[in-house]
Each structure stands twice: as C-alpha cells, then as structure tokens.
C-alpha cells in the first residue's frame, strides 16, 4: 500500500485567492446579482451597486457585495426583497 502525503501550500492558495482570475469571477458574480436586483426594483431611484475589494478573511481574498444606494432601493429591498430575490 502506497502512502501519499499532501502538504498544504498557504502561499500558493493565497496567490490563487488574490489572482486577477478570481477577482474577475467574484466581480462578475456580484455584477450579475446587482443587475438582477435592479431588474427587480420597481421603486425607482438609483438602484443597487456592486463593490469588489480585498477582504481580510483567512489572510486576504477578493470579496464583493451588493448594496442599496438610496431610499428607493432600501424600500425595494425591505418591502419587495429586490436584492434578496436576486441572490437566489
């Protein structure tokens, strides 16, 4: 029986997590959610916005979030779940 040893390469994983490819994938996903949320927004206003940045979790990685931009989009989420429905 052969034994295989796997060694975790933290620097390698960090390089992957901070790569341009991962950034693009995270950004595209957030932009898709933003677009669906804006499509669900019947309240008007500026709508929803997506932001991408490096977060500190686990030593750093690309993260993105979608948020309201004004009162109308806050109401669209609170009453119509415009953003929540976009995530599903």
């Amino acid at each position: 029986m052969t034994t295989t040893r796997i060694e975790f390469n933290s620097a390698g994983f960090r390089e992957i997590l901070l790569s341009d490819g991962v950034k693009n994938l995270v950004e595209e996903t957030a932009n898709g959610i933003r677009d669906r949320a804006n499509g669900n927004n019947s309240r008007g206003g500026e709508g929803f916005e997506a932001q991408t940045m490096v977060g500190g979790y686990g030593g750093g990685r690309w993260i993105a979030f979608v948020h309201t931009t004004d009162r109308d989009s806050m109401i669209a989420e609170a009453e119509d779940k415009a953003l929540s429905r976009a995530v599903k």
Side-chain angles (χ1 to χ4, degrees):
M1 179 186 227
T2 305
T3 302
T4 303
R5 181 175 167 90
I6 298 174
E7 191 171 318
F8 190 82
N9 183 336
S10 293
F13 278 103
R14 179 161 292 126
E15 188 176 332
I16 291 168
L17 291 172
L18 292 172
S19 71
D20 289 339
V22 170
K23 177 186 180 188
N24 291 338
L25 180 61
V26 169
E27 200 166 50
E28 287 173 16
T29 302
N31 288 341
I33 293 169
R34 176 205 60 207
D35 293 344
R36 288 190 299 278
N38 283 325
N40 292 337
N41 180 8
S42 62
R43 304 290 178 149
E46 292 180 33
F48 297 87
E49 182 178 286
Q51 289 185 302
T52 305
M53 60 188 270
V54 175
Y57 179 78
R61 63 183 68 192
W62 288 107
I63 63 169
F65 54 95
V66 180
H67 60 90
T68 60
T69 58
D70 58 11
R71 182 170 169 74
D72 290 329
S73 56
M74 287 181 211
I75 293 170
E77 172 54 17
E79 296 184 11
D80 305 329
K81 303 297 182 214
L83 178 55
S84 296
R85 288 186 293 129
V87 175
K88 295 181 181 182

